[in-house]
Amino acid sequence: MVAPPRASPTARPPIRSGAEYIESLRGRGLKVYLFGERVEEPVDHPLIRPSINAVAATYDLAAKDPDLATAQSSLSGKRVNRFLQIAESVDDVVGQNKMQRRLGQLTGTCFQRCVGMDAINALYSVTFEIDAEHGTPYHERLKSFIRMAQEENLVIGGAMTDPKGDRGKGPSEQADPDVFVHIVERRDTGVVIRGAKAHQTGCINSHWILVMPTMRLQERDRDYAVVCAIPVEDPGLSFIYGRQSCDTRSMEGGSIDQGNAQYSGQEALIVLEDVFVPWERVFMCGETAYAAPLVERFTAYHRRSYVCKTGVGDVLIGAAATIADYNGVPRASHIRDKLVEMTHLNETIYGAGIASSYESKPTPAGNYQNDDLLANVCKHNVTRFPYEMGRLAQDIAGGLVATLPSEKDFRSPETGPLLQKFLHGREGVSTENRIRVLRLIENMTLGRNAVGYLTESMHGAGSPQAQRIQIARQMNLDEKMDLAKHLAGVVEGEPDE
Amino acid sequence: MVAPPRASPTARPPIRSGAEYIESLRGRGLKVYLFGERVEEPVDHPLIRPSINAVAATYDLAAKDPDLATAQSSLSGKRVNRFLQIAESVDDVVGQNKMQRRLGQLTGTCFQRCVGMDAINALYSVTFEIDAEHGTPYHERLKSFIRMAQEENLVIGGAMTDPKGDRGKGPSEQADPDVFVHIVERRDTGVVIRGAKAHQTGCINSHWILVMPTMRLQERDRDYAVVCAIPVEDPGLSFIYGRQSCDTRSMEGGSIDQGNAQYSGQEALIVLEDVFVPWERVFMCGETAYAAPLVERFTAYHRRSYVCKTGVGDVLIGAAATIADYNGVPRASHIRDKLVEMTHLNETIYGAGIASSYESKPTPAGNYQNDDLLANVCKHNVTRFPYEMGRLAQDIAGGLVATLPSEKDFRSPETGPLLQKFLHGREGVSTENRIRVLRLIENMTLGRNAVGYLTESMHGAGSPQAQRIQIARQMNLDEKMDLAKHLAGVVEGEPDE
Amino acid sequence: MVAPPRASPTARPPIRSGAEYIESLRGRGLKVYLFGERVEEPVDHPLIRPSINAVAATYDLAAKDPDLATAQSSLSGKRVNRFLQIAESVDDVVGQNKMQRRLGQLTGTCFQRCVGMDAINALYSVTFEIDAEHGTPYHERLKSFIRMAQEENLVIGGAMTDPKGDRGKGPSEQADPDVFVHIVERRDTGVVIRGAKAHQTGCINSHWILVMPTMRLQERDRDYAVVCAIPVEDPGLSFIYGRQSCDTRSMEGGSIDQGNAQYSGQEALIVLEDVFVPWERVFMCGETAYAAPLVERFTAYHRRSYVCKTGVGDVLIGAAATIADYNGVPRASHIRDKLVEMTHLNETIYGAGIASSYESKPTPAGNYQNDDLLANVCKHNVTRFPYEMGRLAQDIAGGLVATLPSEKDFRSPETGPLLQKFLHGREGVSTENRIRVLRLIENMTLGRNAVGYLTESMHGAGSPQAQRIQIARQMNLDEKMDLAKHLAGVVEGEPDE
Amino acid sequence: MVAPPRASPTARPPIRSGAEYIESLRGRGLKVYLFGERVEEPVDHPLIRPSINAVAATYDLAAKDPDLATAQSSLSGKRVNRFLQIAESVDDVVGQNKMQRRLGQLTGTCFQRCVGMDAINALYSVTFEIDAEHGTPYHERLKSFIRMAQEENLVIGGAMTDPKGDRGKGPSEQADPDVFVHIVERRDTGVVIRGAKAHQTGCINSHWILVMPTMRLQERDRDYAVVCAIPVEDPGLSFIYGRQSCDTRSMEGGSIDQGNAQYSGQEALIVLEDVFVPWERVFMCGETAYAAPLVERFTAYHRRSYVCKTGVGDVLIGAAATIADYNGVPRASHIRDKLVEMTHLNETIYGAGIASSYESKPTPAGNYQNDDLLANVCKHNVTRFPYEMGRLAQDIAGGLVATLPSEKDFRSPETGPLLQKFLHGREGVSTENRIRVLRLIENMTLGRNAVGYLTESMHGAGSPQAQRIQIARQMNLDEKMDLAKHLAGVVEGEPDE
């Protein structure tokens, strides 16, 4: 059984800063595996720490710019970190996007806290509707849970993606039932669940994880229709840390070759081995019909949350502009034109994202849900434009971005002076600064944060085809066909038909 | 001198419908030239009429869907056609976009009334600011003018684009001073202006034309800094009608070969030969410093007004889906995928456009001005995506879209039966309906409305390079460079720099 | 029965020039329908004539540049027009491409003679193989036919595309058997065929038409497996002329508004009403298994024949560069960059096309067949790049390209001087020349030759999806998967699989 | 002074295999620096070795498929490795491309030997022309050098790219004269040179390096106009090894996480400290006018040598197809369509490349030079399409490509079984094989070979703008403008101009 985590009756004081947040993660005894070994203390592991720093930035921004990164919650009656708020207005939904862009700018990576925000907002309306139909108590439980998290100012991660096994088969048809998370035992006091969640962003650095089904379920999949909150330190959880391109550069010492030494994302495989969850933290249990709405509302929120990538894009544009300056060619018309193109693509993503948020409508539960079609359009552009922006950044950077010697060569008495001499750019710019910016571009287009800026942009919140299916569902062809027929003078039902 | 137009002291009753609007255009004795001859009555000319019908649709929509196409004006205290309203809130600005999309859907073309709407809104804040600096009475005059137009429910056209002559020279440096509209005489009662305005959308079917400068002016260009309203029936005006692809099909009889027999756009060269304008209709006169703000605010509004093209895009998507259905292949995965792509591109335009409107902020004058960067991004996508959508529509349509025989062949007793036999699509669809939809696609991708959907999308409200310049101005590279330097660990000002 | 056409025993002297060719088309009594009426003499019809001129250019080029446009034929032992040669070497195949590009440059349109060239070349090897299997005399018949055409220097058109009716059904499953051309009677002296061929390029201005099946056939489709040559003046043929965008401008008088007054393409629906074909002109009759190879070899040739569009593209690039010059901005970096992009796209098409030709291999019959995969790649780029080049050309042209008044306004004493004054470009360029170039760009991007440059580029020789299917067939995934597995260290067949 | 290298009077027997080649690199005492330290024996360094293996593959292919990878040389009268041949026919030039594609397929990376091949071919004609003008003996010297290399079967690297310092200044204007390689002393027996060459592909694993100027030179740059051959073991050379994304995975042990454990590219900064070169290995010395032709001919060859990337592209297509199969979705239409698109893009590159080779023409020296315009077009597509292909491969791969745990976790008794259970794909496929293919895709799109497949595709042989400049030079606008003017009916020189 699980020892009472932070959500204890005697609530602890809220976390007030990034530093306090980092402290709150220590000593939890998590079972985190990396390079075949259990990690003593993840907080202090140089490869893991940058991903913790990125979450810490969400705390510091709330302190520094409360208008941007906090919001008033009628649940707790307090001003809370925006990541923990249930959106009560259009402005709240739009405010999420503006905060996301800023955090992308400040960290140059995935700050990992959106999944939880989008999950509690989607669950808010779904639990309301389940209860209305089934008389269940999920909505009140969820509100209590959120209120607690708000009061203690905790990080909630979301866990949706099951390993899925054979993609041609549904959850209850799999040879191995565990490839989708499911209930293995129902007790008076709660349920026991088992399975795994794959490539989970921001789990080890969360306080709680919200487990949710990954797809539309059939009646027969009742055991798979489970939503619940689990404390990250639950002993039934194991985390196998995902590798990222160039990840071990964080372990080499030095600060240059990482490109962005301070921040990175984090993804892990979470294995759930017979985890007990008491009823007060269970928010769906068997209501298969609500799996699809939950997934749809979550992805609607989450696909426009990818506006965060425009903040990361701002960094990449800035890096490209800086290296052009350092190379001595900032005024070349083709360089200028590529920076304009990068900006145009970046703002195109942003436009669709905030348009989706601005078009939010209240749900029956009272919170605000954004526009699904525009959210999918936003995300679909995110699966394309960052790649083109990365290509343009590499174009502007020049070939040196991929042939630079190591920081150690730069520091060596033998080779350092040679590199200082031969890798110098325009007058007034130090070679080291030039190398630092090149390493940042490498980091964002090939290295550790390319994982977040490119590959996760592709697959996070659903792969491109998932968006196309969702766009297809909402493209209202019948109505558009009527418009066309009307203007063409088509009269159907004529004798010759 | 000009006979008192509709803006007479004894105000006439407001126009209530498209039909009344069309009647209001009759008998004005305009000097309209087409194919080398003066047109007797433009309203009745088959080539011109479709462009009048498109404006009439703006009246009918206001009557049919007042929430969408009218708005409350505090100027006249009335609910007025939205094209005549000064935006008093964010919702008013967004409402323009939603109306524009709908009218694009209903007409499949340019309905030509946005220029005036965007012009009065831009002038509203600019005149306020001129008056604040110079103590001039422009703002009150403008309000009177708009109030009158609201009360009579008139169409205001905007005229901005001068012929420009040698593009390397400014207005007052030209060999021929008339290639930019300018003041040739200042009288006690008003000013006399001369020049021309090129490719003016929706002028012959307007009641009033707002003349505005086309670009940033220098101190020496004082005579060119003139804004004023002129009644379209002013005898000093001549209109030379622009040809459009396939325009004469409107004069052949029949209703098929035009593709969209009812609606089209309209563009003309307006020649102004010593037109007298009384002071009460002069809204700028010599304040050169305000030409640039006027152009910028107008283009900010107008570039996101191109959201109208998403309505036209809806028609094209609908036409493509219909012909796929008529061809018998609506379920083919590649067809479906192309329809999704068209929708994705169309909504990407829409997203940036309404995002720009949603981000509107109040001006010192109190009206709302949209976001400039996003407006430029919206328009810039409009210079790209409709071409790709047209390409995809032609792909889906099949080769017949460009090899169809004429309607007369279709009606002929000799060839009609052969065409009925051989051009038949899937069962249940008449050959005529199939041909009608193909002709609509031709109309929108090669024919008359391709002018509006493609070429005008390219150049209207400024050519692509104009948007790139404006994006460049607003891309805040310095700030982005700081973000990148910070993350890269760049410290500038080091000894070795 | 058919009166003996030019292929009579007493051979006539060869056609030596474009002018002689045009004369050869007169007085043939063809049943050509246009605008619901039979055309008296197509050669003299202003709407049809430009398409005849384009073919005439193929004669004149052969006279003027024999290295480029003629080739030595071992069939007749003569140097013949390259369009009539059976390729006897790699250089012959490549030579076709070089001639095609030049003719595209000279005419700015489709010169319509490639279908026949590609058809006789494909048939050459296919008939050889049919005969080898079935002991039929097709190959010798075909050689006689080609020899005759070479000696008289005739135009051979190809007719492949059947109307197809319900696309979900094969030829012999259709409700109306005539929607695919088929044999309705077999006589001792020949066969009688019936049906229609849709959107046939260059038929009315040919001397002979080669009828071929349009797709892979099943055993049951024996009557549809027919290839034969028919003289265009056969009384069983009717031609219903296809409309093109802006086609009637050719009938207005003047020479400006057409853009390209001299040249255009031509497409028609050919109806075959019980046409008798003597055996000596039948080259396939029932050998259904050879329909697919014929179509594949024809499309392999024909898809790289679209290199012609790079010649047309050269004209468009030239027009764009000219208007940039006339507008006074030829040095603007963004203009220059767009011209480079147009060139890059154009040459990319060219590269794949001639690569396909260079990779030609001899067939068992001894003639040379080009590479199929590269031919499809060439054509697939043709379905994309001309649209982008058209878009860029419109960008460079400026808005005037779609708002120009008519030539009649330009000639009118009232409006002409105004247009001269206001539409003048840079010093040293006449307004008329500026307008002429704008009209040419309109012609190629919206007008009559946009049909050939855009829509026919899309669908001619097979729509995009046809190329994708053919690329898929040849992409050798198994071999590529083996390469990848080898490098990844994959060992399949392990115990755990 | 330099100890006699392999090019000694008593020639050694030729290298016959990859294994012999690798042995030939041992014990050379090179000054190679990596991670701040001198590398004992580069051949045995796990990070360096894969780049040596890639060159070894060029030897093994020659042995295994001599038609593809060897050619007859009239210089030595022998069949030689194709990388050492001077192209004596069109087929020789095309043969280079076919060998390059195959080696790309076999290694999945840059095999680094093209620079030398392209350099000796460019020098062959340039030295001939210098000698013709100046009576110098460069051509014969070069022939002796090549003959020696052919006889011993050596690897010749090319070194062209100088560090360049301030890009706004020419070689002789730099504050530090060494940022371009230059002659510091002329002796009776030879010259002494100094400077550096940046991001040099395949230098440490070569036997000889050909030093060449990097750009057009002015008269005053005489000391910079130097071409010569230097043995890699010359004591005046130092090599500072460039880092690549994920490079240290080669040092971790195991074979999975590298993705492609066997092969990679190599790039280094070469520092030349007062290197003496005897006259017999000097091939240009002061003839500044020939620097530009040398660079142009070299880049003409080298830009179409990027056809190698289509071989690498074949591997990526194969990897994408394999992972689609392993994921259980190989038949999904969108997957299939993406594989077709990847193939289409890949073959488009190939088409332009081999077209350039096929269009080769003999030079005055007798060797064959490929078409410059098409070579630039080929390379320009290489700066675009691999990025899009990488994007599509990541799309097909799924998110796991960037979140996979390490091989050590996979081998660990604690986490291994969990990963086996949860990362299993479709039945019949081992988890390890699935992971291996995902790691290969990571390797090619983010990891070590992404450097070669993406960034080097961008900048190798000149950055995109270099190609655009070269395309601009050859786009013959004047001729194209004449074509357009002719068709538009433009008559220039009229009175009104």
Side-chain angles (χ1 to χ4, degrees), chain A residues 201-315:
Chain A
T201 298
C203 46
I204 293 160
N205 44 14
S206 295
H207 300 102
W208 288 87
I209 289 173
L210 267 171
V211 171
M212 300 173 282
T214 199
M215 56 187 280
R216 175 181 301 273
L217 297 175
Q218 306 300 321
E219 191 54 38
R220 61 177 175 242
D221 302 320
R222 285 196 67 238
D223 289 346
Y224 296 85
V226 60
V227 177
C228 59
I230 304 173
V232 170
E233 56 265 50
D234 189 290
L237 301 185
S238 304
F239 303 86
I240 310 177
Y241 209 84
R243 290 208 75 165
Q244 297 184 316
S245 176
C246 300
D247 47 8
T248 54
R249 291 197 190 176
S250 301
M251 301 165 68
E252 293 178 1
S255 67
I256 296 180
D257 289 3
Q258 293 125 283
N260 178 346
Q262 209 178 342
Y263 300 115
S264 80
Q266 172 194 104
E267 273 161 338
L269 178 76
I270 312 178
V271 179
L272 301 93
E273 289 172 286
D274 292 357
V275 175
F276 171 76
V277 188
W279 286 119
E280 66 264 27
R281 297 201 312 263
V282 175
F283 312 122
M284 179 190 290
C285 184
E287 295 81 6
T288 52
Y290 286 90
L294 175 58
V295 171
E296 274 174 25
R297 291 181 208 178
F298 171 73
T299 55
Y301 282 125
H302 204 45
R303 285 177 187 169
R304 69 74 242 207
S305 281
Y306 273 74
V307 155
C308 65
K309 302 300 181 199
T310 62
V312 182
D314 289 332
V315 176

Side-chain angles (χ1 to χ4, degrees), chain A residues 98 314 326 337 341 344 348 358-359 377 381 384 428 430 433 436 468 480 488-489 491-492 496-497, chain B residues 98 106 314 326 337 341 344 348 358-359 377 381 384 428 430 433 436 468 480 488-489 491-492 496-497:
Chain A
K98 298 200 169 179
D314 289 332
Y326 286 1
D337 200 57
E341 183 66 19
H344 171 66
T348 295
Y358 272 120
E359 293 274 305
V377 166
N381 284 329
R384 298 175 173 182
S430 76
N433 281 346
R436 284 188 173 279
R468 293 182 88 80
K480 289 175 184 163
V491 184
E492 290 183 335
D496 83 317
E497 300 211 344
Chain B
K98 299 200 170 181
L106 292 174
D314 288 332
Y326 287 1
D337 201 56
E341 184 65 19
H344 171 66
T348 296
Y358 272 120
E359 292 273 304
V377 166
N381 284 327
R384 298 175 173 182
S430 77
N433 281 346
R436 283 186 174 279
R468 292 182 89 80
K480 289 174 184 163
V491 183
E492 291 184 334
D496 84 313
E497 299 211 342

Side-chain angles (χ1 to χ4, degrees), chain D residues 158-370:
Chain D
M160 186 169 256
T161 310
D162 293 284
K164 294 197 190 82
D166 184 332
R167 309 222 159 193
K169 295 177 177 166
S172 51
E173 299 164 321
Q174 298 286 336
D176 178 351
D178 299 346
V179 294
F180 286 81
V181 168
H182 59 120
I183 299 171
V184 290
E185 193 188 340
R186 286 172 173 81
R187 299 184 190 161
D188 285 355
T189 48
V191 295
V192 178
I193 64 175
R194 186 190 296 162
K197 290 289 183 179
H199 27 87
Q200 291 306 309
T201 298
C203 46
I204 292 160
N205 43 15
S206 295
H207 300 103
W208 287 88
I209 289 173
L210 268 171
V211 171
M212 299 174 283
T214 198
M215 55 186 280
R216 176 181 301 273
L217 297 175
Q218 306 300 320
E219 191 54 38
R220 62 177 174 242
D221 302 320
R222 286 197 66 238
D223 289 345
Y224 297 84
V226 60
V227 177
C228 60
I230 304 172
V232 170
E233 55 265 51
D234 189 291
L237 300 185
S238 303
F239 302 87
I240 310 176
Y241 209 84
R243 290 208 75 166
Q244 296 184 316
S245 176
C246 301
D247 47 8
T248 54
R249 291 197 189 176
S250 300
M251 300 165 68
E252 293 178 0
S255 68
I256 296 180
D257 289 2
Q258 294 126 282
N260 179 346
Q262 209 177 340
Y263 301 115
S264 81
Q266 172 195 104
E267 273 160 339
L269 178 76
I270 311 178
V271 179
L272 300 93
E273 289 172 286
D274 292 357
V275 175
F276 171 77
V277 188
W279 286 118
E280 65 264 28
R281 297 202 311 265
V282 175
F283 312 123
M284 179 190 290
C285 183
E287 295 81 6
T288 51
Y290 286 90
L294 175 59
V295 172
E296 274 174 25
R297 290 182 207 177
F298 170 74
T299 55
Y301 281 124
H302 203 46
R303 285 176 186 168
R304 69 74 242 207
S305 281
Y306 274 74
V307 155
C308 65
K309 301 301 180 198
T310 62
V312 182
D314 289 332
V315 175
L316 188 62
I317 294 166
T322 303
I323 196 63
D325 175 33
Y326 286 2
N327 287 346
V329 291
R331 295 283 125 200
S333 68
H334 75 96
I335 297 284
R336 193 85 184 159
D337 201 57
K338 284 162 192 163
L339 292 169
V340 168
E341 183 66 18
M342 290 174 78
T343 303
H344 171 66
L345 295 175
N346 206 41
E347 300 296 338
T348 296
I349 292 170
Y350 185 66
I354 63 166
S356 169
S357 294
Y358 271 120
E359 293 274 303
S360 294
K361 299 283 180 296
T363 71
N367 68 331
Y368 278 69
Q369 178 77 45
N370 64 311

Side-chain angles (χ1 to χ4, degrees), chain C residues 104-393:
Chain C
Q105 291 179 335
L106 293 173
T107 62
T109 191
C110 173
F111 38 87
Q112 310 154 56
R113 212 172 162 185
C114 302
V115 181
M117 175 176 75
D118 295 333
I120 58 173
N121 274 278
L123 271 172
Y124 192 84
S125 62
V126 169
T127 53
F128 181 89
E129 292 167 35
I130 302 178
D131 292 1
E133 182 179 345
H134 294 289
T136 40
Y138 300 137
H139 192 60
E140 283 308 314
R141 284 182 193 164
L142 180 75
K143 282 160 69 174
S144 298
F145 172 72
I146 297 169
R147 199 178 296 118
M148 174 280 296
Q150 289 180 345
E151 281 165 357
E152 302 194 15
N153 196 8
L154 304 178
V155 175
I156 301 172
M160 186 168 256
T161 311
D162 293 284
K164 294 200 191 79
D166 184 333
R167 308 225 160 190
K169 295 178 177 166
S172 52
E173 298 165 320
Q174 299 286 336
D176 178 351
D178 298 347
V179 294
F180 286 81
V181 168
H182 59 118
I183 299 170
V184 290
E185 192 186 339
R186 286 173 173 79
R187 299 185 191 159
D188 285 354
T189 49
V191 296
V192 178
I193 65 176
R194 185 189 296 161
K197 291 288 183 180
H199 26 89
Q200 292 305 310
T201 298
C203 46
I204 292 159
N205 44 15
S206 294
H207 300 103
W208 288 87
I209 289 173
L210 268 171
V211 171
M212 298 173 284
T214 198
M215 56 188 281
R216 177 181 300 272
L217 296 176
Q218 306 301 321
E219 191 53 41
R220 61 177 176 244
D221 302 321
R222 285 195 69 239
D223 289 345
Y224 296 85
V226 60
V227 177
C228 60
I230 303 172
V232 170
E233 56 264 52
D234 188 290
L237 300 185
S238 303
F239 302 87
I240 311 178
Y241 209 85
R243 291 208 75 164
Q244 298 183 315
S245 175
C246 301
D247 49 7
T248 54
R249 290 196 190 177
S250 301
M251 300 164 69
E252 292 178 1
S255 67
I256 296 179
D257 288 3
Q258 294 127 281
N260 179 345
Q262 210 178 341
Y263 300 115
S264 81
Q266 171 195 104
E267 273 161 337
L269 178 77
I270 312 178
V271 179
L272 299 93
E273 290 172 287
D274 292 357
V275 174
F276 171 76
V277 188
W279 287 117
E280 67 264 27
R281 295 200 314 264
V282 175
F283 311 122
M284 179 192 288
C285 184
E287 295 81 4
T288 51
Y290 286 91
L294 175 58
V295 171
E296 274 174 25
R297 291 181 207 178
F298 171 74
T299 55
Y301 281 126
H302 204 46
R303 285 177 187 170
R304 70 70 245 204
S305 282
Y306 274 74
V307 155
C308 65
K309 301 301 182 199
T310 63
V312 182
D314 288 332
V315 176
L316 188 61
I317 294 166
T322 304
I323 196 64
D325 176 32
Y326 287 1
N327 287 347
V329 291
R331 295 283 125 198
S333 68
H334 75 98
I335 297 285
R336 193 82 183 162
D337 200 57
K338 285 162 191 164
L339 292 170
V340 168
E341 184 66 18
M342 291 174 77
T343 302
H344 171 66
L345 296 175
N346 206 42
E347 300 296 339
T348 296
I349 292 171
Y350 185 66
I354 63 165
S356 170
S357 294
Y358 271 120
E359 293 273 304
S360 294
K361 300 282 179 297
T363 71
N367 67 332
Y368 277 71
Q369 178 77 45
N370 63 311
D371 184 82
D372 193 13
L373 177 56
L374 285 167
N376 276 281
V377 166
C378 171
K379 174 69 207 324
H380 205 52
N381 284 328
V382 172
T383 69
R384 298 175 172 183
F385 295 166
Y387 285 83
E388 176 65 3
M389 291 173 66
R391 192 184 76 84
L392 290 169

Side-chain angles (χ1 to χ4, degrees), chain D residues 81-130:
Chain D
N81 192 296
R82 198 181 281 283
F83 284 103
L84 293 169
Q85 195 225 16
I86 300 300
E88 302 180 10
S89 68
V90 166
D91 281 353
D92 282 347
V93 189
V94 174
Q96 296 173 349
N97 279 157
K98 299 200 168 179
M99 172 182 67
Q100 288 162 329
R101 182 162 191 169
R102 184 65 185 148
L103 282 164
Q105 292 178 335
L106 292 174
T107 62
T109 190
C110 172
F111 37 88
Q112 310 152 57
R113 213 173 161 183
C114 303
V115 181
M117 175 177 75
D118 295 333
I120 57 173
N121 274 276
L123 271 172
Y124 192 85
S125 63
V126 169
T127 53
F128 182 88
E129 291 168 37
I130 301 177

